[in-house]
C-alpha cells in the first residue's frame, strides 16, 4: 500500500486509540484543526473530544499533565507542535518525566509518549527549524526515537506506548509528505536497534530522520563513481545501538556521520566518540561529520540549504576519506 | 480566619491532630540535629512552624486520593502514613529509605500511599497533579488529587497554566497553597504585584478559600469542606493556608531577609503550643497526656534514627538501576 508518512503516523495513532482505551492524544490543535501537520485529521470525529484533546498553548502544563496522567494509569500521547516549542516544556520532560523513576527508587515509571516535529527545510526560519533531538538524547531516563521511514512512522508508536518509560518521537517535518510503500505492519516493531538501509563495503554513512534520505542520495551518487557506501539509520537516538554501526565501521573502516543538529556537542559527536573509543584500530581514516552550520536557521531558501547537510557535502566528506580513484 | 474557636472534637480526634504535629516537629528537630552531625546532607528544608497545614489537611484525604508535594514535604509524608523509619532512612540516603535512598529529603515518594513527591522544582508538581486528576477523570474514578505548593510557585508560569487546565477541564484537584510569605528570602510583596493569591486563582474561575494555617482546627475544618467540594463536584478548588516557617529556608540560610521580631511574633501563634493550650483549657487534654504523646513521638524518632543508622548503603554496582524500567 502506498501512503504518506503523515498517513502512516495517523494509522499508528488510530490503531493505538482503537486497541487500548487508556490511550489518548493531547496537544495544541490536535482536534478541531486536525493537527498542525494534519497528522490527527479526522481523529476527533472518530474518537471524540475526551480522547483527542485540544490543549491551551501551555506546553509546560500539558506535558506535565501527560506525566501525571501516565502515572495515573492512562497512556497519553502528547503532541508538541515543534521541537522549538518543546523548550517551554523542558522542565517537565527533564526534571519529571526522565527522573521520576530514579528519584522514587524505582516506584514510579512514566509510560508517556511525546511526539513532536523537528527539523528544517521549509523556510520556517530560526524558531521553527532546529533539530534539538540530540539534546534530549543526552538525558538518561528517556528514550528518543527518530522514525525516518514509512514503516517506522507506522511501526514505532505501538512499542513506544508499550514501553513503561517516557519515549520521545521526533518526526521530521519534511517527511510528512513523503510517500512510500507500507508493507504489512510489523508486529512489535523494534525500538532498540539501528538498521542497515543500504549495504556497502567502502564507507559507513550514519544518519537518522530526514538525513537518512540525503545520505541515501549521497550513497547513490557515490555508487556511480564506484564507491560502495553502507548506510545506517540510527532510528533510536537514545539508547544508541552501538553494535550495529560499529559492526559496519569495522567492515568498511571508514565512517561519516550525518546530523541535522549543529556540530558542537551534537549527536554526531557522540557517535563519533563511540567509534573512536571502540573501533579506533579498525579505522583507515578519521571519522568525519556532516552537520548543520553553526548558525540559526536563516529564512531565505539558498541560505537554509547552505546551512543544512546536503548530499553533495556528504559525497565530498566521503571522498576526503578515500584514496583517490 | 477562624483562630481560637473552641476545639470542636472529641478527645481522641483532638489528640490525633496534636500527635501529627508532634511527630513532624520532633522528627524535624532531630533532622536539624543530624544535619549538624552530617548524617543528613544536601539540602534540608524544615517545615517547623507550618505543621498545622499538613496535620489538619492530609488526614481528611481518603486512602485512594493522591498527593503531590514540594521539597518541604517531610510533614506531609509523615501525616500521609509513610513510616517514619523509611523516611529517616531516606534522609540518610540508605537503601531502606522510602525512595531507596536515591531521593533524599527533597524527593520523598511512596506508591502505597499515592505520594508523588517530593518535587524540588518550584511549581513542578502542579501540572503532574492536574494529570493525575485527568487520569481519574478519564477512567471514571472519583478521587481527589491534593497538590501542595508554596506561594513562591504562584509566580511561576506553570501555576497559571496548571490552574487554567484544571479549571478548563474541570478536574478534581485540590490546590493547597502554603503561603509562608517568603519564597526563599524574597517576601511576597517584593515578588507579587497582587499579594492576594486567591485573586489569581479566582481569575481562572476556580473557587478559593483563605485559611489560618497556624490553626490546626481551622485547617482541618477548611480541608473537610474543600476535599468534599472537590470530590463531589469533581472540579478544582484553591485554598490558601496562611502560615510561617520558623526555621531558615534551608540549612544554608542565614536569614538576613527578615526581622527576628517578625519571627518571634509568628512564633506566638505557633501551631503546636496554641493548640496544646486550647486542648488543656477545654479539658480535652492534661499535661500528662501531652507528655505521653510527646514521649511517644520522641521514641518513634529515636527508633527511626536507629533504623536509619543500621540501614545499608546501596552497593555501587547498583548505581545505574532505576533509570529505566527493567524489561
Amino acid at each position: 500500500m502506498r501512503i504518506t508518512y503523515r498517513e502512516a503516523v495517523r494509522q499508528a495513532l488510530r490503531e493505538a486509540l482503537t486497541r487500548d482505551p487508556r490511550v489518548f492524544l493531547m496537544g495544541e490543535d490536535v482536534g478541531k484543526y486536525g493537527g498542525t501537520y494534519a497528522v490527527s485529521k479526522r481523529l476527533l470525529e472518530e474518537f471524540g473530544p475526551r480522547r483527542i484533546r485540544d490543549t491551551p498553548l501551555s506546553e509546560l502544563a500539558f506535558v506535565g499533565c501527560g506525566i501525571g496522567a501516565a502515572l495515573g494509569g492512562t497512556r497519553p500521547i502528547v503532541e508538541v507542535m515543534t521541537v522549538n516549542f518543546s523548550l517551554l516544556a523542558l522542565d517537565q520532560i527533564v526534571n519529571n518525566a526522565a527522573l521520576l523513576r530514579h528519584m522514587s527508587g524505582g516506584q514510579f515509571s512514566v509510560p508517556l509518549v511525546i511526539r513532536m516535529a523537528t527539523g528544517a527545510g521549509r523556510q520556517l526560519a530560526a524558531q521553527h527549524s532546529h533539530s534539538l533531538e540530540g539534546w534530549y538524547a543526552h538525558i538518561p531516563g528517556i528514550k528518543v526515537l527518530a522514525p525516518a521511514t514509512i514503516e517506522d512512522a507506522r511501526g514505532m508508536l505501538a512499542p513506544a506506548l508499550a514501553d513503561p518509560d517516557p519515549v520521545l518521537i521526533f518526526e521530521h517535518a519534511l517527511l510528512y509528505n513523503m510517500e512510500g510503500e507500507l508493507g504489512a505492519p510489523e508486529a512489535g516493531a523494534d525500538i532498540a536497534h539501528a538498521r542497515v538501509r543500504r549495504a556497502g563495503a567502502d564507507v559507513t554513512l550514519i544518519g537518522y530522520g530526514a538525513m537518512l534520505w540525503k545520505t541515501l542520495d549521497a550513497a547513490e551518487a557515490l555508487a556511480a563513481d564506484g564507491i560502495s557506501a553502507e548506510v545506517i539509520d540510527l532510528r533510536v537516538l537514545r539508547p544508541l545501538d552501538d553494535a550495529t554501526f560499529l559492526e559496519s565501521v569495522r567492515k568498511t573502516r571508514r565512517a561519516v556521520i550525518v546530523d541535522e543538529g549543529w556540530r558542537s556537542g551534537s549527536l554526531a559527536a557522540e557517535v563519533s566518540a563511540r567509534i573512536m573509543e571502540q573501533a579506533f584500530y579498525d579505522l583507515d581514516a578519521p571519522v568525519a561529520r556532516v552537520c548543520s552550520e553553526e548558525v540559526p536557521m536563516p529564512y531565505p531558501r539558498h541560505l537554509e540549504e547552505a546551512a543544512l547537510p546536503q548530499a553533495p557535502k556528504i559525497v565530498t566528506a566521503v571522498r576526503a576519506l578515500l584514496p583517490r580513484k | 480566619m477562624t483562630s481560637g474557636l473552641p476545639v470542636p472534637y472529641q478527645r481522641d480526634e483532638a489528640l490525633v491532630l496534636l500527635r501529627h504535629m508532634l511527630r513532624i516537629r520532633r522528627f524535624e528537630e532531630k533532622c536539624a540535629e543530624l544535619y549538624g552531625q552530617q548524617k543528613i546532607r544536601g539540602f534540608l528544608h524544615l517545615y517547623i512552624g507550618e505543621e498545622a497545614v499538613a496535620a489538619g489537611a492530609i488526614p481528611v484525604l481518603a486512602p485512594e486520593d493522591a498527593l503531590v508535594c514540594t521539597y518541604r514535604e517531610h510533614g506531609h509524608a509523615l501525616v500521609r502514613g509513610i513510616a517514619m523509619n523509611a523516611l529517616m532512612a531516606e534522609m540518610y540516603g540508605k537503601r531502606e529509605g522510602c525512595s531507596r535512598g536515591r531521593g533524599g529529603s527533597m524527593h520523598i515518594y511512596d506508591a502505597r500511599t499515592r505520594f508523588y513527591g517530593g518535587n524540588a522544582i518550584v511549581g513542578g508538581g502542579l501540572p503532574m497533579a492536574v494529570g493525575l486528576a485527568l487520569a481519574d477523570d478519564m477512567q471514571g474514578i472519583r478521587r481527589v488529587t491534593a497538590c501542595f505548593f508554596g506561594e513562591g510557585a504562584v509566580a511561576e508560569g506553570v501555576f497559571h497554566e496548571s490552574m487554567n487546565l484544571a479549571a478548563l477541564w474541570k478536574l478534581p484537584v485540590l490546590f493547597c497553597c502554603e503561603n509562608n510569605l517568603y519564597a526563599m528570602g524574597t517576601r511576597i510583596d517584593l515578588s507579587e504585584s497582587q499579594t492576594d493569591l486567591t485573586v489569581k486563582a479566582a481569575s481562572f474561575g476556580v473557587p478559593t478559600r483563605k485559611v489560618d494555617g497556624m490553626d490546626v482546627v481551622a485547617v482541618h475544618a477548611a480541608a473537610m469542606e474543600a476535599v468534599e467540594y472537590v470530590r463531589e463536584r469533581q472540579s478544582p478548588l484553591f485554598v490558601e493556608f496562611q502560615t510561617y516557617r520558623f526555621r531558615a529556608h534551608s540549612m544554608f540560610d542565614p536569614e538576613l531577609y527578615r526581622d527576628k521580631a517578625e519571627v518571634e511574633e509568628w512564633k506566638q501563634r505557633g501551631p503546636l503550643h496554641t493548640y496544646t493550650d486550647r486542648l488543656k483549657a477545654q479539658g480535652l487534654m492534661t499535661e500528662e497526656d501531652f507528655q505521653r504523646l510527646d514521649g511517644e513521638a520522641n521514641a518513634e524518632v529515636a527508633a527511626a534514627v536507629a533504623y536509619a543508622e543500621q540501614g545499608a548503603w546501596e552497593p555501587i554496582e547498583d548505581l545505574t538501576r532505576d533509570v529505566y524500567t527493567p524489561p
Side-chain angles (χ1 to χ4, degrees):
Chain A
M1 184 176 50
R2 204 166 168 78
I3 61 169
T4 62
Y5 183 101
R6 169 184 296 107
E7 177 61 27
V9 178
R10 187 185 305 136
Q11 279 188 16
L13 287 168
R14 184 180 289 119
E15 181 191 70
L17 287 155
T18 305
R19 272 198 186 165
D20 186 346
R22 298 173 304 171
V23 171
F24 68 99
L25 174 70
M26 69 173 156
E28 292 156 357
D29 280 321
V30 297
K32 287 212 156 102
Y33 189 95
T36 313
Y37 292 96
V39 167
S40 52
K41 203 168 168 186
R42 289 184 300 277
L43 293 182
L44 175 64
E45 289 80 346
E46 211 172 320
F47 296 99
R50 283 179 65 79
R51 298 184 71 200
I52 307 295
R53 280 183 180 262
D54 280 321
T55 64
L57 308 189
S58 304
E59 287 82 0
L60 188 53
F62 70 71
V63 170
C65 180
I67 294 167
L71 289 168
T74 61
R75 290 291 177 272
I77 303 168
V78 175
E79 178 177 310
V80 178
M81 216 179 265
T82 83
V83 66
N84 284 87
F85 301 173
S86 79
L87 303 191
L88 292 161
L90 210 47
D91 168 54
Q92 288 298 322
I93 298 172
V94 177
N95 285 320
N96 272 345
L99 308 188
L100 267 165
R101 182 169 172 83
H102 182 257
M103 288 193 296
S104 66
Q107 293 180 82
F108 295 115
S109 300
V110 183
L112 169 69
V113 171
I114 305 175
R115 298 173 38 245
M116 63 186 95
T118 186
R122 291 154 43 95
Q123 286 190 266
L124 297 178
Q127 292 182 334
H128 282 67
S129 301
H130 290 142
S131 288
L132 303 176
E133 51 278 356
W135 279 9
Y136 288 104
H138 181 63
I139 312 293
I142 53 180
K143 294 182 180 171
V144 180
L145 311 180
T149 64
I150 302 283
E151 287 78 14
D152 278 346
R154 176 67 179 81
M156 278 181 148
L157 182 67
L161 277 168
D163 198 289
D165 298 315
V167 179
L168 272 55
I169 304 180
F170 289 89
E171 298 161 6
H172 197 291
L174 272 190
L175 296 178
Y176 285 124
N177 286 330
M178 179 178 76
E179 274 190 35
E181 210 49 49
L182 178 69
E186 302 166 70
D190 134 48
I191 55 166
H193 296 101
R195 291 255 164 86
V196 178
R197 297 294 186 194
R198 178 188 174 115
D202 300 329
V203 61
T204 299
L205 307 181
I206 303 166
Y208 68 88
M211 291 303 100
L212 171 67
W213 303 101
K214 291 184 180 178
T215 305
L216 285 166
D217 287 348
E220 194 63 34
L222 289 162
D225 286 347
I227 298 166
S228 164
E230 181 146 296
V231 175
I232 308 277
D233 174 7
L234 286 175
R235 300 177 70 248
V236 183
L237 310 187
R238 184 182 189 96
L240 274 174
D241 170 20
D242 297 8
T244 298
F245 63 76
L246 288 172
E247 187 188 332
S248 173
V249 171
R250 289 193 176 110
K251 181 180 70 176
T252 66
R253 310 180 78 86
R254 292 172 184 83
V256 176
I257 306 148
V258 184
D259 184 351
E260 196 173 318
W262 293 295
R263 177 186 304 261
S264 304
S266 59
L267 194 75
E270 178 62 28
V271 173
S272 169
R274 291 190 189 204
I275 294 170
M276 301 296 192
E277 286 163 350
Q278 299 172 73
F280 182 78
Y281 295 104
D282 296 306
L283 293 173
D284 281 346
V287 173
R289 289 183 284 161
V290 180
C291 301
S292 281
E293 299 298 325
E294 308 243 351
V295 59
M297 200 53 64
Y299 162 65
R301 166 74 68 198
H302 70 295
L303 292 180
E304 184 182 44
E305 283 176 355
L308 291 167
Q310 305 290 357
K313 288 188 191 176
I314 302 167
V315 167
T316 304
V318 169
R319 287 188 181 288
L321 302 185
L322 289 161
R324 286 191 172 277
K325 283 200 177 180
Chain B
M1 307 290 272
T2 52
S3 301
L5 291 176
V7 176
Y9 312 122
Q10 300 294 313
R11 177 184 146 89
D12 286 355
E13 199 182 348
L15 294 192
V16 165
L17 296 181
L18 177 63
R19 183 169 170 272
H20 283 313
M21 290 198 288
L22 272 171
R23 288 177 75 236
I24 302 171
R25 180 68 60 97
R26 300 303 175 232
F27 176 84
E28 290 207 320
E29 285 169 345
K30 178 57 77 177
C31 285
E33 194 184 315
L34 292 164
Y35 197 84
Q37 295 169 24
Q38 304 197 345
K39 297 279 190 184
I40 298 173
R41 309 302 301 266
F43 279 136
L44 176 67
H45 307 90
L46 299 180
Y47 193 55
I48 288 173
E50 305 183 38
E51 294 96 334
V53 181
I58 291 175
V60 175
L61 296 168
E64 67 272 18
D65 292 338
L67 278 89
V68 177
C69 303
T70 71
Y71 51 86
R72 198 183 301 284
E73 86 286 39
H74 313 141
H76 308 75
L78 285 172
V79 179
R80 182 57 175 173
I82 298 179
M84 194 184 283
N85 282 358
L87 191 60
M88 189 60 91
E90 189 61 36
M91 308 297 285
Y92 270 64
K94 295 287 182 77
R95 191 169 59 187
E96 291 77 4
C98 56
S99 305
R100 219 185 148 77
R102 292 296 177 107
S105 161
M106 299 192 286
H107 303 304
I108 303 300
Y109 290 88
D110 184 50
R112 187 182 60 84
T113 58
R114 302 196 74 221
F115 196 91
Y116 292 94
N119 198 310
I121 306 295
V122 173
L126 277 94
M128 229 170 70
V130 174
L132 284 162
L134 174 62
D136 285 345
D137 179 66
M138 293 196 68
Q139 297 171 108
I141 309 172
R142 291 176 72 85
R143 297 190 289 207
V144 172
T145 298
C147 181
F148 288 83
F149 52 97
E151 90 290 346
V154 173
E156 296 279 2
V158 75
F159 166 80
H160 302 269
E161 293 189 20
S162 301
M163 291 294 293
N164 181 50
L165 213 51
L168 184 72
W169 289 349
K170 297 188 173 53
L171 299 175
V173 184
L174 178 58
F175 290 98
C176 300
C177 179
E178 301 179 297
N179 179 4
N180 68 14
L181 296 177
Y182 289 88
M184 215 162 105
T186 303
R187 202 183 150 95
I188 187 166
D189 55 327
L190 298 176
S191 65
E192 290 293 334
S193 60
Q194 168 57 268
T195 55
D196 183 346
L197 304 178
T198 60
V199 172
K200 294 171 191 283
S203 77
F204 298 98
V206 173
T208 66
R209 311 280 186 268
K210 234 182 254 194
V211 182
D212 178 0
M214 304 305 277
D215 178 356
V216 72
V217 176
V219 170
H220 193 243
M224 296 231 276
E225 189 269 334
V227 170
E228 191 188 321
Y229 180 100
V230 174
R231 198 183 308 284
E232 290 311 309
R233 302 204 188 193
Q234 291 290 294
S235 62
L237 183 75
F238 175 94
V239 185
E240 176 189 347
F241 296 102
Q242 298 181 324
T243 185
Y244 198 82
R245 96 180 124 64
F246 294 167
R247 298 291 186 102
H249 165 74
S250 76
M251 305 306 280
F252 292 105
D253 166 17
E255 289 190 82
L256 303 172
Y257 49 83
R258 62 183 188 183
D259 288 339
K260 289 206 163 50
E262 181 187 285
V263 180
E264 287 312 312
E265 203 174 300
W266 276 90
K267 280 186 178 172
Q268 299 304 308
R269 296 173 55 195
L272 202 46
H273 76 84
T274 55
Y275 186 57
T276 303
D277 291 348
R278 286 159 75 189
L279 291 180
K280 286 181 183 168
Q282 281 183 238
L284 286 166
M285 183 182 76
T286 63
E287 176 60 21
E288 289 71 45
D289 291 327
F290 178 84
Q291 290 304 332
R292 181 177 50 78
L293 286 173
D294 200 26
E296 284 169 10
N298 280 320
E300 191 184 2
V301 171
V305 172
Y307 179 81
E309 287 283 346
Q310 285 158 24
W313 298 111
E314 218 181 343
I316 288 175
E317 301 81 77
D318 287 352
L319 176 64
T320 57
R321 62 171 283 156
D322 294 330
V323 177
Y324 295 99
T325 308

